[in-house]
Every structure is written in C-alpha cells, then in structure tokens.
Amino acid sequence: MFLSQLATSAALAAAAPATPAPPDDIDTSATDADASEIVVIGTRNGRVDRTLSSDIVTERMSPSSRSLERDLLSAAAVSRLSDALELVSGVSNQNNRGGFLDNFAIRGFLGTPDGGAEYYVDGFLANRGMGPPRDPATAERIEALKGPAGALFGDIDPAGRVNIVSKTPHFTPSASATFTYGSFDTRRVELDVAGPLSSQLAARIVVATEDSDGWRDHVTLKRRVAAPSLTWEPAAGIQLTYVGEITHFDAPFDRGIPAVNGDANALPASRFYGEPGDGITRFRNNRHQVTGIADLGGGWTLNGGIAWRTGSLKGFSSDQSRLVDGRTLWRQRRQRDFVVDDLSARIEMSGELGAHRLSVGAKGYRLDYQEHWLRRNPSAENPHSIDIFDPVYGGSAASLLPFTQNRERRWSGTLYLQDMWDATDRLTLSGGARFDAYRQHILNERTGAVAKAVGEPVNFRIGGRYRVNDVFALHANWGESFLLNSGTSRELEGFAPERGKGYELGITAAWPGIDVAATWFDISKSGILTNDPVDPNYLAPVGRLTSCGIELDAAIKLGGRWQIVANYAWTKARADDAAFATDAVLNVPEHAGSVFVLARFAGVEDRGLTLSVGATFIGPRAGAIDTSGLVLPGYAKAKLGADYRLSRHTSIRLVADNLFDARYAQSSYSPVWIFPGAPRTVKASVEFRY
C-alpha cells in the first residue's frame, strides 16, 4: 500500500529538471521584509507562504519567538522534533508514549500525557487525537512561537505554539539525495526533487526511508515518509498550494525501564522490559491539505485552506505495571486500536487601514477519534512478570479484556479579530478577541454512557512593543487560552476544558549579526491533564498549574564564518491541587540551556569544511507525581559534526551525538515508565545535489 502511494506521489515531481541547489550559508537575519521582527536562525530562501506560516502580526509582536530554518536543522543533524527544540529556550521533553509521540512542554506547560503537546503543521493542528513522530526530511523550518503573541490564525496560548512549515515547490529546479549509515545498523535515504512543470505550476516530492536495529534491545525501527506538493499560480497575486504527507512508523511499543530504589539510571539503558513476542505496533498517518492566498489590492489579502488527516495506531504491548520485591516486574498486557479522522478549515482576510493592520477570520474542525483498548492487569496468580536483572522473554498473560472503548466526536467553530496599530514610529500596540463555539460528545461503547461538553467562551489578548532605538526594543504581551481535553477519567467521565492566562515582559537587542533577547513570563492554567496519581492508567486534571521564569536567547554571526545559537531558561513550575501528592510538574527542569556553534572554512572550487559542536544541559526534574518522589538526575550531553563539500554537487558528513556517552533519563511518566536517553550515536552521510 505504501509503495503504491509512493509511486503516485513520485509521479507529481518526476518531470522536474535538476540544477544545483543554492548554498546553505547560515545567516541569523531574516530575508523576508515581513519577518524582520522575528529572529530567523538560518537562511530563509525565497518568500514566505503566509498560508503555511505565522502571520505578520505574530512575528512583529513576538520577539521571544524563533524560526529555525532548513539549513540550521541540517547543520544540527536534527533527527527528531525534540532535537530541534533544544535550540529554543524553555522547551522540555515529555513522555513519548512508547516511542510513538513527539511530546514537549513549553514554559512548563505540557500537553496531554497520552496525546502530547499540540503542535501545528502548515498552520493546521497536526496531532489532535494523535499524531506520528515527525520526520525532519519534510520540514522547511520550525517556528517556535512563544508567549501570548504566539498566535496562529487566531489561536492564543500564553505559553506558545510550535508550527512546522513543510517543504513546498519552487520554480528553480533542484534535486538532492542523501544516504546515511550509522550506529545500530541505521540505514536512511532521503530524496528531494523540485521544479516547474509549467510557467504556472511547480511540484516537489520528498521521500525518506529509515531502518534501524535500534539501541534498545529488541526495539527496531522502520519509518517511511512521502510528502508530495504542488504550487499553482494561475494569475498575478493568486497562489494555491497542495501539501500531502503519507507516514508509516513501525516499532515495538517501548515503555523504557523502571527506577530501582529511586534511581532512574540503575538498570542498563538498553534493556527492554516488554515482550518481543507482542510484535510491532504500527502507526499510519495520511494528511492532505490545500491552502490559497489572493491579493485583493490596496494592501488586503484573503487566505484560507482545508486540511484532512486520517491515522491509526494498532498493536500489542506488555507494559510495566508494578515492581515487587525489588526485582520482579509485573506487566500489564494491552492491545491498542486507535483511529482518528480530523477535518479542518479556515479563512482569514487581513490588510492595512491607515496605521492599523486588521485581521478577521473564521476556522473550524470536525474530529472523530476512536480509542479502543483491551488489557489484562497483572495479579499474584498471573503477574505476567519479568526479572529486571535477568530478563527471560516468552511469558504469556491471561486473555485480554475490554478496557477503554471510547468514541469522541467534536465540532468546533471559531471567529476572531485582531489589530496591530502603529501608534507612533516607535510604539506598536496589538489586541485580539476570539469566540469559540464547541460541542464534544464522548461515547463509552462498553457502558453506553455519554459525556458531553458544550460551550461558547470568549478570550482576549493584548500586547505592545516599544522600539527604544535602532538597537533595543521592549515588549509586553498578555493573553487568555482555551483548549478542549480528550478522554475520560477513572470514573469514566469527560474533562472540563483547559483554561489559562498569562503574560510576558521582554527586552531585545539587535546589532549587525547579533540578536539577543531576555523574557520574563508568568502563566497559570487550570484543567491540564496529567497521569492520575491514584491510578496512572488514567488521566486526571490538575486544579491549577502555575509557571514563571526567565528565558535568554542569543543568535550570533561572526565574520561570516562563525555561528552561535545559545539559550538558557529558568522555569519554576508548580501544581496547586490537594489531590496530588506533590506540587512538582513532570519532566520540567528548573534550569536548562544549550549552545550550538558552527564554523565554516571556505575552500576553493566549491570545496570547504564545516565543523559544528553543540552541548545541552538539563537540570534535575520530577520523574513522577505520586508519593515516590522520584527525581530524574540532571545531565549534560554533547554533539560533534564535520561536513566536507567535495564539490558543488557532493558532500560528506560525520556526526556523533551524545559524544561522551552520557547516561541519562530523557523523560518519564511514572516510576516504572522511564525512557532512557540514547547512548553515543555516530552517523555518516553522503549527499548528492544537482
């Protein structure tokens, strides 16, 4: 099935001729005039498609945000979304749902532990219900839009949003092929072909395949991605873009390792405590979207689009449940059968009216999400156990029983209005209002019980930016948020929506080649879901979660040869709920930071050496919210890379991640579900470009 879809996708771009791709020199200044206020880290080639990206108001009023461009992502050897987000302050790893989830917290606020933090792809929410791990080959850039000004087509969140912008066609022909081999018998191929089909139509196809034995025992990986796209410009000022994405992700479901006597790193990081006989869990995800933008004249534009996404997650697993007598691990066997069907649409008109830039828009979605689980809890008579020090596989659990059989349906519509007003040549003010009308219906197919939610909230945001002089600027933003929660509690009841409000204050400075920012934030939310401290098989809402902190970001270019991207975050996140045993927030360190340095040594005849080095520090953080008091130790890890361009068409690369083979716990969900960080990993690549 995947091969037939791939063949169809490849036909879209087969006619594109090939010429050399532009050089990937990194430049920390924006090349798009509309994006001049957001820090663009890397080279932004060509114009920005506003139907896929953040809007001009967001970029102007959100100086704490960052746009990570394609050449930076390549230089940093990004292999997962979490690798990219290390380059941005205030983002921390969260539970990865057995290896099938990109999950992170922004400024201390996490998404649903099972569904993950919400993120966008091309301006549409991409993991409502569930979404597969992102493959970096399809991304042109990653926009980390932080703070209440981090709005995307009317959405408001005081912590921020992530928007991944896909590679789309251009009318300059290009083609590339990258072949990678690395540790744990990792084999990867990436193909990227783009170019014109006519004077008005351009196509692109991105294909990536990856197979690996994996660094975890018995945990292999097989990933296939095909991303075709078309751009049609039928007349001046009109553009339509189609973006598709077909993803297959296959691996055993892997819950990591348990802590022993409060030590998250006591057991070998590679040891697998599931059951190899459970086989492979399969994630399938198909996305198709069409967006368009039209110049209405007089500085006004109309843009909109529609996106349809379907997906499924199916497979068996034996998940850690309880550690008894210090060495016997009881396991719960599960079968997952999840299906999602998500249809979204939006339209927005924006333009200038004197000193005002106005935007008015509407958006909506229809979600059908089915969560079907079978499980068998362990017992003294049938513990389905394994020895953590001497695991022997081949155990069998009793027959599975119905557990969760939910079908969730949502209908939501949004109207929003925002204005950015250049009050003076130095002072810019902004404000926005958003009205949501929603219906949520969750049917428990086991019992026939129905949980319903209906509401029509209104939320606001305001902000200001004052340019002190040509170097320094001050900004302040305040906003409210609203988000529907999925799933049911251990009482089989639905959850109230998540509500939040918060503000940020900041100062930025920009000199030629240097951009620095310091931001203070203070945010509170209620109704955020986390694992239930009474029964971690279920979710429960935190009464109130608060987070405040300071973020420092710097992007520096020195002499056209040296590039430095650095950040630090101090985050104080606390839960305020008497039902929880602790006020700690899962996986959110108080101190974290990273630095990435790139040095280019230009040669002759298109030859040259590029060296890169990166380091990340993550402080201690809570590994559980039960009475265990588990703390994941802090850690530091380093990355080293070398890239040599043999000619304008060929280059080779060697990258070592976790260079000093640091042992660390990357994230956790409970004391028995701790996901260890990967050991030293070395990869070698050769790239051909035309």
Side-chain angles (χ1 to χ4, degrees):
M1 181 63 177
F2 181 85
L3 292 176
S4 63
Q5 292 172 320
L6 178 58
T8 302
S9 301
L12 294 172
T19 59
D24 54 356
D25 297 322
I26 290 183
D27 187 347
T28 56
S29 61
T31 59
D32 185 317
D34 291 337
S36 59
E37 304 298 340
I38 194 173
V39 177
V40 176
I41 308 177
T43 300
R44 179 172 288 184
N45 293 313
R47 60 187 177 182
V48 174
D49 185 343
R50 292 295 174 189
T51 67
L52 309 179
S53 305
S54 54
D55 65 324
I56 296 173
V57 176
T58 296
E59 295 193 341
R60 174 80 65 84
M61 303 305 294
S62 185
S64 61
S65 298
R66 295 292 182 269
S67 180
L68 309 176
E69 302 299 315
R70 175 70 254 170
D71 51 357
L72 177 70
L73 300 177
S74 296
V78 167
S79 61
R80 294 198 65 158
L81 181 58
S82 58
D83 298 334
L85 295 180
E86 285 182 355
L87 300 170
V88 181
S89 63
V91 182
S92 54
N93 282 309
Q94 295 292 315
N95 161 56
N96 67 8
R97 197 183 200 178
F100 285 79
L101 183 68
D102 286 318
N103 197 4
F104 52 88
I106 300 178
R107 292 181 170 177
F109 291 97
L110 51 154
T112 303
D114 282 338
E118 290 194 322
Y119 62 82
Y120 286 75
V121 175
D122 302 327
F124 288 97
L125 194 62
N127 64 336
R128 190 164 26 229
M130 61 180 182
R134 300 298 308 171
D135 192 292
T138 65
E140 183 65 32
R141 64 180 173 276
I142 297 175
E143 299 173 334
L145 307 169
K146 294 196 294 182
L152 191 69
F153 301 104
D155 285 354
I156 303 165
D157 191 300
R161 299 282 194 191
V162 168
N163 181 48
I164 303 168
V165 180
S166 298
K167 292 178 178 177
T168 53
H170 44 72
F171 285 86
T172 301
S174 66
S176 68
T178 304
F179 303 89
T180 301
Y181 183 80
S183 302
F184 317 110
D185 198 24
T186 298
R187 295 92 66 201
R188 182 176 172 86
V189 178
E190 295 180 22
L191 303 175
D192 185 352
V193 182
L197 301 179
S198 71
S199 61
Q200 297 178 327
L201 184 66
R204 189 168 191 170
I205 178 74
V206 179
V207 177
T209 70
E210 182 176 345
D211 294 89
S212 176
D213 289 347
W215 63 272
R216 298 266 298 147
D217 299 341
H218 307 287
V219 182
T220 58
L221 170 66
K222 182 178 180 179
R223 175 157 56 181
R224 304 288 186 266
V225 177
S229 55
L230 291 168
T231 294
W232 182 39
E233 298 179 354
I238 299 177
Q239 177 180 294
L240 294 174
T241 301
Y242 161 78
V243 178
E245 189 175 273
I246 304 161
T247 302
H248 291 185
F249 189 93
D250 297 343
F253 205 86
D254 179 15
R255 288 295 192 183
I257 64 177
V260 180
N261 297 323
D263 185 354
N265 295 321
L267 296 168
S270 63
R271 189 165 292 168
F272 179 58
Y273 290 107
E275 192 59 54
D278 287 334
I280 298 297
T281 294
R282 293 175 169 82
F283 206 136
R284 301 291 181 263
N285 191 78
N286 296 328
R287 179 174 67 94
H288 303 278
Q289 72 176 54
V290 177
T291 59
I293 189 166
D295 186 348
L296 303 179
W300 288 81
T301 60
L302 182 69
N303 88 57
I306 186 168
W308 179 41
R309 185 176 63 88
T310 60
S312 63
L313 176 70
K314 300 177 186 293
F316 292 85
S317 68
S318 295
D319 301 339
Q320 297 95 286
S321 178
R322 179 183 173 191
L323 183 62
V324 300
D325 68 33
R327 68 178 302 146
T328 304
L329 185 65
W330 290 11
R331 298 178 298 177
Q332 178 190 95
R333 192 157 190 264
R334 299 185 180 192
Q335 179 187 13
R336 295 169 182 83
D337 185 358
F338 301 166
V339 179
V340 65
D341 189 316
D342 187 6
L343 181 65
S344 305
R346 65 167 191 259
I347 187 167
E348 177 181 280
M349 184 169 66
S350 61
E352 298 177 1
L353 193 61
H356 296 265
R357 181 174 183 85
L358 298 168
S359 300
V360 60
K363 60 187 296 186
Y365 70 86
R366 182 270 301 153
L367 173 70
D368 189 346
Y369 180 42
Q370 300 178 57
E371 240 184 356
H372 294 164
W373 305 58
L374 299 176
R375 76 169 186 179
R376 169 67 74 163
N377 272 330
S379 64
E381 293 75 24
N382 193 343
H384 192 34
S385 61
I386 194 168
D387 189 322
I388 62 173
F389 300 112
D390 185 21
V392 176
Y393 304 105
S396 60
S399 58
L400 295 169
L401 299 173
F403 173 42
T404 298
Q405 305 285 316
N406 286 346
R407 183 173 187 178
E408 177 182 358
R409 297 180 181 180
R410 291 193 217 163
W411 301 264
S412 179
T414 301
L415 298 174
Y416 63 91
L417 172 69
Q418 73 174 4
D419 178 31
M420 182 173 70
W421 174 36
D422 290 324
T424 71
D425 60 347
R426 294 184 179 275
L427 177 63
T428 301
L429 302 174
S430 70
R434 173 182 168 185
F435 167 77
D436 289 278
Y438 67 87
R439 292 170 54 204
Q440 184 180 40
H441 181 281
I442 303 177
L443 170 64
N444 185 323
E445 296 174 334
R446 288 177 53 203
T447 66
V450 174
K452 294 182 178 180
V454 179
E456 297 178 348
V458 178
N459 292 288
F460 300 92
R461 70 178 176 93
I462 57 174
R465 182 175 183 273
Y466 182 73
R467 186 165 55 86
V468 179
N469 52 38
D470 291 340
V471 173
F472 294 98
L474 306 173
H475 72 274
N477 292 292
W478 175 90
E480 300 175 308
S481 69
F482 157 83
L483 177 67
L484 284 173
N485 282 317
S486 288
T488 54
S489 67
R490 55 189 160 85
E491 291 86 11
L492 304 182
E493 297 177 349
F495 300 108
E498 172 191 306
R499 303 300 298 266
K501 60 179 61 178
Y503 68 87
E504 68 173 11
L505 304 171
I507 181 171
T508 61
W511 297 272
I514 301 176
D515 289 283
V516 296
T519 306
W520 163 267
F521 63 88
D522 193 319
I523 310 167
S524 67
K525 290 186 181 181
S526 61
I528 296 176
L529 298 185
T530 187
N531 53 323
D532 191 323
V534 176
D535 185 348
N537 292 302
Y538 294 91
L539 299 175
V542 178
R544 184 169 175 264
L545 193 152
T546 62
S547 180
C548 63
I550 298 173
E551 296 172 346
L552 305 175
D553 289 274
I556 303 170
K557 178 182 179 181
L558 301 174
R561 172 174 293 181
W562 294 89
Q563 305 285 331
I564 303 173
V565 179
N567 69 75
Y568 164 77
W570 171 74
T571 306
K572 196 72 171 179
R574 289 291 179 266
D576 182 11
D577 193 324
F580 286 73
T582 174
D583 64 355
V585 179
L586 272 176
N587 300 302
V588 177
E590 186 170 349
H591 301 279
S594 72
V595 61
F596 180 76
V597 180
L598 188 70
R600 295 183 181 277
F601 302 96
V604 295
E605 298 180 352
D606 296 311
R607 297 182 180 183
L609 175 67
T610 299
L611 297 177
S612 62
V613 59
T616 300
F617 168 74
I618 304 295
R621 60 252 185 255
I625 59 171
D626 57 13
T627 57
S628 68
L630 178 66
V631 173
L632 305 184
Y635 67 91
K637 63 186 182 76
K639 175 183 291 187
L640 181 65
D643 187 305
Y644 188 78
R645 183 169 293 182
L646 300 171
S647 69
R648 65 182 305 187
H649 297 299
T650 308
S651 62
I652 56 175
R653 165 179 287 187
L654 185 67
V655 176
D657 202 0
N658 193 3
L659 180 64
F660 301 109
D661 205 20
R663 176 64 199 276
Y664 64 99
Q666 179 175 293
S667 63
S668 71
Y669 182 82
S670 75
V672 294
W673 289 358
I674 300 169
F675 202 82
R680 181 190 299 114
T681 303
V682 180
K683 296 179 182 178
S685 303
V686 58
E687 181 183 25
F688 303 98
R689 291 187 291 184
Y690 298 93

